[in-house]
Amino acid sequence: YHYLDWAMPSFRKGCSWLGNALVVALFEYDTPKFVHIKSKKVGVLNRLVQLAILGYVIGYGIVWQNGAQVTENVQSVVTTKLKGAALVENSSDFAINCPSNLTMLDHTDLLVPPHEPNSFFVTTNMWITCKQSISTCGEDITVPNANCSTDSDCEPNITLRSGNGITTGDCNRTTNSCVIRAWCPVEKEVDSITALGPKIDTKNFTVLVKNSISFPRLDSSYHVRNIQRGVSHDFLKNCTFDPHTSKGLLCPIFTLKQIVDMVDDREGYYDDIATDGAVIGLSIRWSCNLDLSASRCKPQYSARRLDNPTSKLSPGFNFRYPKYYYDGETQYRDLWKAYGIWFVVEVSGQGRKFDFTRLILALGSTIALLAVATVVTDTVSLYLLKKGPFYRKKKYQQVEDTTKPSDIQDKDLDDDNQSETDSVQQPLLQTNPTYGK
């Protein structure tokens, strides 16, 4: 009870304060009051803030960042055409069991597969195992668990991990490896020969990269190619891409070395990646203004390596493919293990076009942001300037709703007289130097 006697006054005081606060919040109203401050400092500050806002929104947002235009990502299709031929030397070192030596290979032989969407693969190094047929032979001794000394070491009817066929359960005493039923003879690549370097010089092979783009949502009739209109057939037949000349920029025909040099132009870099293979991305970047002529929409080319060049485990890029044929009634195949460069064409970019709605939204945001100028100017003039207290007195005024209607007119006259007195005694709101004399 003594505790309650001590706490009740504080509780009543708190409730009273809370009630007064609710009354103030519910039954008071704030209305803006316009005070015309005739001060050069305040006026210049306000205009500078307004100019900064206008410059940012109009200059940067609308003009530089194309804020009055709608955008659409590019829709693209890419086709490629490879040309070239190269001599082959010492093919017997890497073409095993082949009836005759290879002396020359052209783009038809080296482009595998003949066509891929948005990419192409060029063979630069190889290992060929010719005239394989389905029969039995000893497994490659480098395959794990393929070594044997007796038949009991070879479990029948299984496929060894990374093996080439199905075991028969017999052991080949000549090779000391398990006998398998497979395409024989099996591939037995000599890594040291493969590592000597590319067997084919493809640096000067040329590729025509044809890229057509459109922006169907913005303008269904707008179509552009990286082969500019007005380019003649003779020019396209003899040109090569050159980023340093205006005509060279119009030519979409590249040598393979040009593309690789965009990644790394060091001497010998092409041969390094051609030995084990690599994946190169050829990037075509578009930025088109549909409000201007289509001739001003031109591509920009760059390249980068997509696979990991520092990988020590299974580096590069390679795969195998067969070439089947018959000799009499027996089917044979030549197995090619192809190392090479896989070129992936990546197309990106945007198109933009003027939109009146976007312009109205940008201008509306500008008008809304101009309120920031008022906030900044009020903060500086009311709280940072020396005359701030006087400005605050003029800006903020409390009106009590206890005045009789008959006293309102007399009160207004008194306020007018007081305002005239303030303007004489404190010429802060006037710019005319005669005030205050």
Side-chain angles (χ1 to χ4, degrees):
Y1 291 103
H2 293 293
Y3 173 77
L4 292 176
D5 291 340
W6 172 80
M8 284 303 293
S10 299
F11 178 74
R12 292 191 187 96
K13 185 176 181 179
C15 290
S16 176
W17 177 86
L18 180 61
N20 292 333
L22 289 175
V23 170
V24 169
L26 293 175
F27 301 107
E28 287 189 357
Y29 168 69
D30 293 332
T31 183
K33 180 179 180 181
F34 294 96
V35 178
H36 187 66
I37 300 177
K38 293 186 176 182
S39 170
K40 292 182 179 179
K41 291 181 180 180
V42 177
V44 170
L45 173 64
N46 185 49
R47 297 297 176 256
L48 287 177
V49 176
Q50 289 177 341
L51 286 175
I53 294 173
L54 290 174
Y56 173 78
V57 175
I58 297 177
Y60 179 78
I62 297 179
V63 178
W64 183 258
Q65 292 292 328
N66 306 304
Q69 293 179 308
V70 290
T71 60
E72 180 183 6
N73 291 331
V74 64
Q75 304 292 316
S76 169
V77 61
V78 175
T79 58
T80 59
K81 184 183 293 184
L82 185 72
K83 292 285 187 179
L87 296 175
V88 180
E89 297 181 357
N90 303 320
S91 64
S92 59
D93 293 341
F94 58 86
I96 309 304
N97 201 37
C98 295
S100 60
N101 291 334
L102 295 173
T103 58
M104 191 274 297
L105 294 171
D106 65 8
H107 57 271
T108 306
D109 303 309
L110 303 177
L111 188 64
V112 185
H115 176 71
E116 287 185 277
N118 301 331
S119 63
F120 61 97
F121 175 84
V122 181
T123 305
T124 57
N125 205 357
M126 65 187 70
W127 188 271
I128 308 173
T129 305
C130 294
K131 208 167 185 179
Q132 291 182 320
S133 63
I134 299 178
S135 57
T136 58
C137 56
E139 178 63 278
D140 185 3
I141 59 174
T142 61
V143 174
N145 301 319
N147 295 335
C148 65
S149 56
T150 63
D151 292 346
S152 61
D153 295 331
C154 300
E155 184 179 352
N157 299 322
I158 63 170
T159 300
L160 299 175
R161 185 178 179 87
S162 70
N164 295 285
I166 302 174
T167 59
T168 62
D170 299 326
C171 179
N172 188 324
R173 304 299 197 284
T174 303
T175 60
N176 289 329
S177 62
C178 295
V179 177
I180 58 172
R181 182 169 183 80
W183 287 93
C184 297
V186 297
E187 178 187 84
K188 298 179 180 180
E189 181 181 4
V190 181
D191 293 338
S192 59
I193 295 178
T194 302
L196 291 177
K199 308 302 184 294
I200 311 155
D201 186 6
T202 57
K203 297 185 189 71
N204 295 321
F205 279 38
T206 59
V207 58
L208 168 62
V209 181
K210 295 188 290 185
N211 181 209
S212 299
I213 65 167
S214 62
F215 305 96
R217 184 172 59 85
L218 297 180
D219 188 348
S220 59
S221 64
Y222 189 90
H223 296 276
V224 176
R225 298 176 70 196
N226 61 338
I227 303 176
Q228 298 292 323
R229 294 180 181 178
V231 172
S232 66
H233 177 73
D234 291 337
F235 171 79
L236 194 63
K237 189 175 181 179
N238 297 288
C239 72
T240 304
F241 175 78
D242 184 357
H244 304 295
T245 63
S246 58
K247 288 187 176 180
L249 285 171
L250 300 178
C251 183
I253 299 177
F254 304 82
T255 65
L256 299 187
K257 190 176 186 305
Q258 276 184 316
I259 300 177
V260 173
D261 283 347
M262 293 181 190
V263 180
D264 193 330
D265 59 358
R266 289 178 299 165
E267 187 68 26
Y269 182 74
Y270 187 95
D271 290 338
D272 290 343
I273 67 172
T275 300
D276 292 324
V279 183
I280 301 294
L282 176 62
S283 177
I284 306 177
R285 175 73 182 175
W286 296 87
S287 180
C288 300
N289 189 343
L290 275 65
D291 297 320
L292 304 178
S293 171
S295 61
R296 302 185 65 174
C297 181
K298 297 179 181 179
Q300 294 180 339
Y301 299 95
S302 62
R304 61 192 179 98
R305 186 163 178 178
L306 300 180
D307 63 321
N308 186 358
T310 61
S311 176
K312 301 299 182 183
L313 183 63
S314 186
F317 183 75
N318 66 79
F319 61 90
R320 293 173 176 85
Y321 66 94
K323 292 183 178 181
Y324 295 99
Y325 57 94
Y326 280 88
D327 186 359
E329 296 184 355
T330 305
Q331 185 183 36
Y332 294 93
R333 78 175 187 185
D334 293 342
L335 180 63
W336 288 55
K337 183 178 181 181
Y339 298 83
I341 305 175
W342 184 24
F343 293 92
V344 180
V345 184
E346 305 170 312
V347 182
S348 61
Q350 283 188 336
R352 58 188 188 276
K353 189 176 183 179
F354 174 77
D355 183 71
F356 185 73
T357 303
R358 291 290 298 271
L359 177 62
I360 294 300
L361 291 175
L363 295 177
S365 64
T366 304
I367 296 173
L369 284 174
L370 287 177
V372 175
T374 302
V375 175
V376 173
T377 306
D378 281 352
T379 302
V380 174
S381 62
L382 300 180
Y383 299 100
L384 299 181
L385 295 182
K386 293 181 179 180
K387 300 175 183 178
F390 178 71
Y391 294 153
R392 288 199 301 272
K393 180 180 179 182
K394 292 301 181 181
K395 179 174 177 64
Y396 300 112
Q397 178 181 358
Q398 292 187 358
V399 178
E400 300 291 342
D401 192 16
T402 59
T403 306
K404 296 179 181 180
S406 60
D407 297 336
I408 293 178
Q409 184 176 2
D410 296 337
K411 179 64 176 175
D412 289 341
L413 293 175
D414 293 340
D415 290 342
D416 292 339
N417 294 333
Q418 181 64 33
S419 297
E420 293 177 0
T421 303
D422 290 341
S423 65
V424 173
Q425 295 179 352
Q426 302 287 344
L428 301 178
L429 305 182
Q430 303 295 333
T431 59
N432 192 329
T434 58
Y435 292 161
K437 288 187 178 179

